[in-house]
Amino acid sequence: MNKIIEDLAVQVQDLYFEFDVGKPVLDGFEMRIPRGSICGILGRNGCGKSTLLQCLYGMLEPEHGQCQVLGLDALENTLEVRQRVGYVPQMPQFEPKRTGEEQLDFIRPLYGGRWNQQLENDLLDDFGLTLELHRPVGDLSNGQQRQLSLVVALAFEPDLLFLDEPTASLDAVVRRRFTERVVDYMAEPGRTVLLASHLISDVERLVDHVVVIGRHRPLLAAPLEDLKGSLACLEAHFADLAPLLEPSPDMLMQRQDGNTLKLAAWTRESSTADLVRRLENKGATSVDEVDPSLESLFVHLVEGDA
Amino acid sequence: MQIRLDPTSRDPIYSQLVEQVERLVAGGELSDGDKLPSVRELALRLRINPNTVARAYGELETNGVVVRQRGRGVFVTAPQHKLTERQQLELLRAPMDELLLTAWKAGVDLDTVLAVLKRRAEELLATEE
């Protein structure tokens, strides 16, 4: 049992969180992320991606449920979690009037011996921030502030990295540099990245695990390979109102939309051809398979969950 | 080493990588003793998860295409055997499909394609000499 927990970077059990009473952001949320993966947390704007990361970082207290990060309880061991997890929030949390140098002077001691000064220098250099450190952080561009935030998150060589919409509103050059730093970070074995994003084409080449968040909870959590290899996402068209298929354990979702039926089902036991046959037996006039890009699969799943 | 990945494809990235390295070896662009980029280098170049590269290298090793030498790197180990006729044809398949598809879409008939192909081959051979 201990072995299992050690191999998980993050484990979330039955998490419930609400900002307003009776309006859950996360409800019955379960998730297990193995160590060594780059996990994409995908969902539409406002689906609770940031809230989830904030719960994992011990910034928000859920109504109930448990967040284990590197085997530690996010609420009870917040300090230790934060010393081992690098977190790049969607909005950098710097004091705008302080200069970059002052921010770093303030942050370094919090990590004690873990802080790698050489790495900090390299990162600042790489991002072209070295000469900007005397300026108040509020005067830096949005991209520069996010890069400074990434420097802080990486310089203490964390075991786990949380990135909240890392590339949103950054230009292509900065986006690429950001990605390269994440790849470089992952070159050390045993490290893990959780990457919340709605820019799916950006993360497709990077992630090996995917959690798709629907309404308040994951619609699906799987290795990307399984998502592409063993999940059939089909759109069946009928002459009249679309019928539903009999529910089965491998059926992930099905949704009627007039004459169209959208469905997603695991094909580990059966095959896509079996599903198509079942749909045709129900009177489908044509069945289209969603193209296997992560973006198309995501849209199909999330629309089907609406 | 020219690697082109299609992250939107159904094939996992690691198996695209395996397939392309194998193709480069089969086609003679990589030969016995050539050193492959380190996991970190290739991951950075392709902007993919280093674990994906490591997995691909592991599979290439299992397939007997590369060998990992501790502290030195990953080397191509495939013997330079002559390709069988089937392997030769296999190598041609993808570019051939692409050519035919382009021709169909453009409305070029097969005889014309064959004629153009022959002419082009003669041109290339002429410039090589």
Side-chain angles (χ1 to χ4, degrees), chain A residues 236-263:
Chain A
H237 304 281
F238 295 83
D240 297 309
L241 204 63
L244 289 171
L245 289 187
E246 295 76 28
S248 64
D250 24 339
M251 191 73 73
L252 199 61
M253 67 94 183
Q254 44 178 337
R255 179 182 153 85
Q256 295 159 299
D257 185 4
N259 294 2
T260 304
L261 177 70
K262 287 185 173 204
L263 75 86

Side-chain angles (χ1 to χ4, degrees), chain B:
Chain B
M1 185 162 91
Q2 180 87 12
I3 301 276
R4 292 178 71 174
L5 300 175
D6 176 9
T8 62
S9 145
R10 195 178 292 284
D11 292 334
I13 291 180
Y14 86 91
S15 62
Q16 294 183 37
L17 206 50
V18 167
E19 197 183 306
Q20 293 197 33
V21 171
E22 285 182 340
R23 192 171 295 168
L24 289 172
V25 171
E29 280 150 270
L30 283 174
S31 44
D32 198 27
D34 281 356
K35 189 177 181 195
L36 295 189
S38 73
V39 167
R40 192 192 211 109
E41 275 165 22
L42 190 58
L44 273 173
R45 203 159 90 199
L46 301 172
R47 296 188 316 286
I48 58 176
N49 190 338
N51 293 328
T52 306
V53 178
R55 184 170 171 193
Y57 280 4
E59 187 151 317
L60 285 165
E61 191 170 30
T62 309
N63 297 354
V65 180
V66 303
V67 61
R68 272 189 271 207
Q69 294 185 6
R70 195 169 280 277
R72 291 190 55 215
V74 177
F75 297 87
V76 175
T77 180
Q80 289 308 94
H81 59 79
K82 218 170 143 38
L83 296 179
T84 64
E85 194 178 343
R86 210 182 122 184
Q87 284 169 322
Q88 288 174 331
L89 292 178
E90 194 56 39
L91 276 176
L92 288 181
R93 228 177 83 142
M96 219 154 59
D97 287 358
E98 200 179 323
L99 173 68
L100 289 172
L101 204 65
T102 315
W104 279 335
K105 279 185 187 156
V108 181
D109 68 50
L110 186 58
D111 285 338
T112 314
V113 173
L114 290 173
V116 171
L117 205 59
K118 190 153 179 272
R119 198 164 65 218
R120 183 69 187 138
E122 283 162 3
E123 277 171 25
L124 288 175
L125 283 173
T127 51
E128 206 156 274
E129 279 157 12

Side-chain angles (χ1 to χ4, degrees), chain A residues 271-304:
Chain A
S271 69
T272 307
D274 287 341
L275 269 172
V276 172
R277 217 168 299 127
R278 279 172 68 191
L279 288 162
E280 283 170 352
N281 288 342
K282 283 270 185 186
T285 51
S286 69
V287 181
D288 298 327
E289 199 170 353
V290 173
D291 85 79
S293 75
L294 185 54
E295 184 159 304
S296 303
L297 296 172
F298 170 81
V299 169
H300 182 80
L301 288 166
V302 170
E303 278 185 351

Side-chain angles (χ1 to χ4, degrees), chain A residues 86-123:
Chain A
Y87 172 48
V88 181
Q90 205 169 350
M91 291 291 161
Q93 318 266 308
F94 297 118
E95 178 58 53
K97 291 210 171 75
R98 274 199 205 150
T99 67
E101 192 53 57
E102 286 165 347
Q103 308 273 359
L104 288 166
D105 285 344
F106 175 74
I107 292 164
R108 278 185 213 108
L110 303 178
Y111 294 98
R114 290 199 65 145
W115 194 270
N116 180 337
Q117 190 57 49
Q118 184 59 50
L119 181 57
E120 181 205 304
N121 298 345
D122 290 350
L123 290 163

